[in-house]
Amino acid sequence: MSANYLKHKSLCPLPFAGLYVHPNGDVKTCSIATDTLGNIHKDSLKKVLQGSKIKQIRKEMLDEKFPINCSNCYNREKHHKTLNFDHVSNRLYHIKKLKNNPFKLYDSIDKFELQQLDLRWRNTCNGACVYCDSEYSSKWAVEVKDTIRMTDSALDEGMEFVLENLHTLKMLYLAGGEPFLIKENLKLLQTIEKINPNLDIRINTNLSNLKNPIFKIISKLPNIHWVISAESMEEKFNYIRYPINWKTFISNLKIIQKLPHKISINMAWNILCAKNIFSFIDYMIKFGIHPNAFILNYVEQPDMYSVLNLPENQVNEIKEEVTQRLTRLKDPFMLKYAYEEMIAYLNHKLLNKRNELKEELTILDKRRNLNSKKVFPKLYEEVLN
């Protein structure tokens, strides 16, 4: 299998070596997988990882088929003529990162070895981004009176499973919620610091709170990749990522830039930053962020926040802007792939959820004592009038 691995267009290491657990207990092969394999409130992780659903995914991959579970990656890969193994898709990223490690697993649909972990213990978060919801943000949950959490037994079982398999772990992804506010992460990192300090760790954060014991441990570990969530500046940032503050974000970004760690900017492209995302990118580059550090994820749900709700003339203006920017990029940095993703997405069928967006912004303004018309005047003048 190893000889054919890099030529295999559907195979991904994660069904054989990866694990994602949602704050409600749902288990998937990764965070963008379409299928839920089980729930740890009903079955143990060991049982889920040997269940019929994940075995079927493994079988389809080994038969060189394309399981629906992994369609998000396959679709992303179609957009690019040449593939960069960094961030074009989750599948290609993990093929590069795990390299030869999973080869020994590919001779059976029954084999699993934990090498990549994305376990989101809780939805604890101090932010309530406009396009987020109560599943991933406890602050959202408080606003809409919708509680979601793992049971103590599920949390204990999850921690036990992780600690038992820590010796095979190659990659850890910390997200949430906000990972610096999730107390289980402290216990996990304290153990990692003692027995596996060179572990490859990615931490997806809103960068709002570095004054805590989790940051003290992270700052001392060598193989940290910061994935920073942002896509706009100043008052627009404050609105989209309410109630996180732009000045705090910049101050903390300066702190982590002094560490010997890798930094990426994870941009959630949505209608509120459809055009001003370019100003944000330019600002970040002047701030010292490398063009190879930009990751683009377009917001599709809630669909009212999709950039596809813009009028056709504005969509064409953005395409023209992106095209001009592409001509100025000489090297295949991640920024190039982000721009290509923009054009590919804008070629989808346009939506018409502007009334729903206007209603939603009115609700948010009232609940949060904000003024979206003041923050996004052009959006109201040109789109929501």
Side-chain angles (χ1 to χ4, degrees):
M1 173 60 66
S2 60
N4 298 321
Y5 180 43
L6 294 178
K7 297 180 181 180
H8 200 302
K9 297 183 184 293
S10 68
L11 194 61
C12 175
L14 297 186
F16 302 85
L19 173 65
Y20 164 81
V21 183
H22 188 279
N24 68 4
D26 284 346
V27 181
K28 296 184 176 183
T29 55
C30 72
S31 62
I32 61 171
T34 61
D35 297 339
T36 298
L37 306 174
N39 189 289
I40 61 174
H41 290 122
K42 298 179 180 179
D43 295 304
S44 68
L45 283 171
K46 292 180 181 179
K47 186 174 181 179
V48 173
L49 293 171
Q50 286 301 320
S52 59
K53 289 186 176 182
I54 195 168
K55 286 184 178 180
Q56 180 61 31
I57 294 170
R58 294 170 188 158
K59 183 179 186 304
E60 289 182 20
M61 284 188 172
L62 294 177
D63 291 341
E64 298 195 50
K65 296 179 180 178
F66 295 82
I68 295 176
N69 177 72
C70 307
S71 58
N72 284 322
C73 280
Y74 300 144
N75 290 336
R76 273 184 172 266
E77 291 166 20
K78 290 178 182 177
H79 295 161
H80 304 284
K81 295 179 181 179
T82 57
L83 296 179
N84 179 294
F85 276 75
D86 283 331
H87 289 291
V88 167
S89 73
N90 210 26
R91 182 182 83 92
L92 293 175
Y93 175 81
H94 286 96
I95 285 176
K96 178 182 178 180
K97 297 294 290 187
L98 295 177
K99 295 180 181 177
N100 296 332
N101 293 320
F103 286 165
K104 60 187 176 182
L105 304 175
Y106 293 153
D107 59 358
S108 171
I109 64 172
D110 297 316
K111 287 189 176 181
F112 180 86
E113 180 180 277
L114 185 64
Q115 298 185 13
Q116 194 278 341
L117 174 66
D118 179 352
L119 203 167
R120 308 191 185 192
W121 313 92
R122 302 172 185 270
N123 67 342
T124 306
C125 189
N126 58 342
C129 302
V130 293
Y131 48 79
C132 195
D133 55 36
S134 59
E135 289 190 10
Y136 294 100
S137 166
S138 58
K139 190 165 186 63
W140 252 110
V142 171
E143 282 193 11
V144 298
K145 299 178 174 58
D146 178 23
T147 58
I148 176 174
R149 67 182 300 272
M150 285 197 198
T151 61
D152 290 339
S153 59
L155 286 165
D156 292 342
E157 194 274 334
M159 181 64 75
E160 181 181 358
F161 179 86
V162 171
L163 296 181
E164 285 178 356
N165 292 276
L166 205 54
H167 63 289
T168 63
L169 195 63
K170 307 293 190 304
M171 299 177 63
L172 173 65
Y173 183 62
L174 297 178
E178 169 52 41
F180 282 109
L181 302 179
I182 298 174
K183 60 182 182 180
E184 283 76 15
N185 285 338
L186 178 58
K187 180 179 179 179
L188 177 59
L189 287 166
Q190 286 172 334
T191 307
I192 289 171
E193 185 180 25
K194 294 177 182 178
I195 69 174
N196 193 4
N198 292 316
L199 183 65
D200 186 334
I201 301 175
R202 282 188 299 158
I203 182 163
N204 192 329
T205 173
N206 60 32
L207 211 60
S208 63
N209 186 347
L210 298 184
K211 297 179 180 179
N212 60 66
I214 292 177
F215 175 70
K216 289 182 179 179
I217 296 175
I218 287 289
S219 63
K220 292 184 291 184
L221 297 177
N223 296 322
I224 302 298
H225 181 175
W226 293 85
V227 182
I228 311 302
S229 297
E231 59 286 302
S232 52
M233 298 188 299
E234 299 176 335
E235 61 178 356
K236 292 180 176 62
F237 174 97
N238 295 344
Y239 191 98
I240 293 173
R241 295 195 167 272
Y242 170 88
I244 310 303
N245 182 269
W246 171 252
K247 291 182 179 179
T248 301
F249 173 85
I250 290 297
S251 176
N252 287 338
L253 181 56
K254 290 179 181 178
I255 291 173
I256 68 168
Q257 281 182 307
K258 296 177 182 178
L259 299 174
H261 296 159
K262 182 178 180 179
I263 297 175
S264 291
I265 304 297
N266 189 37
M267 306 178 295
W269 192 37
N270 64 87
I271 195 169
L272 300 184
C273 66
K275 295 181 179 179
N276 57 67
I277 192 172
F278 301 117
S279 298
F280 168 77
I281 291 171
D282 294 342
Y283 182 88
M284 284 290 103
I285 291 175
K286 290 181 180 178
F287 201 78
I289 300 299
H290 194 276
N292 205 33
F294 292 90
I295 306 167
L296 182 81
N297 294 289
Y298 38 80
V299 175
E300 294 188 280
Q301 295 295 330
D303 59 2
M304 69 188 76
Y305 285 108
S306 169
V307 296
L308 295 177
N309 287 293
L310 291 172
E312 186 174 3
N313 67 309
Q314 292 197 27
V315 168
N316 290 333
E317 288 176 6
I318 295 175
K319 285 182 180 180
E320 183 177 350
E321 170 73 18
V322 175
T323 301
Q324 291 177 359
R325 286 173 171 264
L326 279 170
T327 61
R328 297 197 294 268
L329 288 175
K330 297 180 180 180
D331 297 307
F333 295 132
M334 283 308 304
L335 189 52
K336 175 179 182 291
Y337 294 100
Y339 288 152
E340 289 178 347
E341 282 293 325
M342 285 183 173
I343 291 178
Y345 186 61
L346 290 174
N347 285 331
H348 286 67
K349 182 180 179 180
L350 298 185
L351 303 174
N352 187 11
K353 299 286 183 178
R354 298 168 202 165
N355 289 336
E356 289 88 338
L357 175 62
K358 191 173 183 178
E359 291 175 5
E360 177 66 12
L361 294 178
T362 300
I363 293 171
L364 289 181
D365 285 353
K366 183 177 181 180
R367 192 163 69 214
R368 299 175 175 181
N369 194 27
L370 301 175
N371 188 340
S372 57
K373 291 183 179 180
K374 182 179 179 181
V375 178
F376 307 101
K378 288 188 177 180
L379 178 69
Y380 275 89
E381 293 170 8
E382 301 173 0
V383 181
L384 303 180
N385 51 26

